[in-house]
């Protein structure tokens, strides 16, 4: 899994992050010692700004579901949970 990070720099006109992602993907595909790895999660593909960039690697899209409850009481409970979870 690649968490949000990396750099905004480029190398010879190519995104450094793109080169990094492609190296990970090709290593997993070509190295028999890595056969147990079933996938590579670029994280955050549901962000429209990042979706086009991530689509260039040709991965399979997997659904991600989020359940959310509204209302003032739930908003207070969520805020309290976030404060306690820190």
């Amino acid at each position: 899994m690649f968490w949000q990070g990396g750099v905004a720099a480029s190398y010879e006109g190519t995104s450094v992050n793109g080169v990094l992602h492609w190296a990970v993907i090709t290593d997993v595909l070509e190295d028999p010692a890595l056969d147990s790895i079933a996938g590579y999660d670029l994280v955050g593909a549901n962000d429209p700004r990042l979706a086009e960039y991530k689509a260039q690697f040709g991965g399979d899209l997997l659904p991600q579901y989020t359940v959310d409850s509204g209302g003032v009481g739930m908003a207070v409970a969520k805020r309290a949970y976030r404060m306690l979870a820190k």
Side-chain angles (χ1 to χ4, degrees), residues 67-82:
V67 176
D68 196 9
S69 299
V72 176
M74 188 54 74
V76 171
K78 288 179 197 178
R79 187 174 298 140
Y81 176 79
R82 285 188 202 110

Side-chain angles (χ1 to χ4, degrees), residues 28-78:
V28 169
L29 292 173
E30 295 171 358
D31 188 340
L34 302 175
D35 283 346
S36 64
I37 296 175
Y40 179 54
D41 188 351
L42 286 173
V43 181
N46 58 339
D47 181 337
R49 186 180 63 81
L50 300 174
E52 185 176 343
Y53 165 75
K54 294 176 179 186
Q56 72 181 333
F57 298 104
D60 295 328
L61 294 177
L62 301 175
Q64 174 183 335
Y65 302 99
T66 303
V67 176
D68 196 9
S69 299
V72 176
M74 188 54 74
V76 171
K78 288 179 197 178

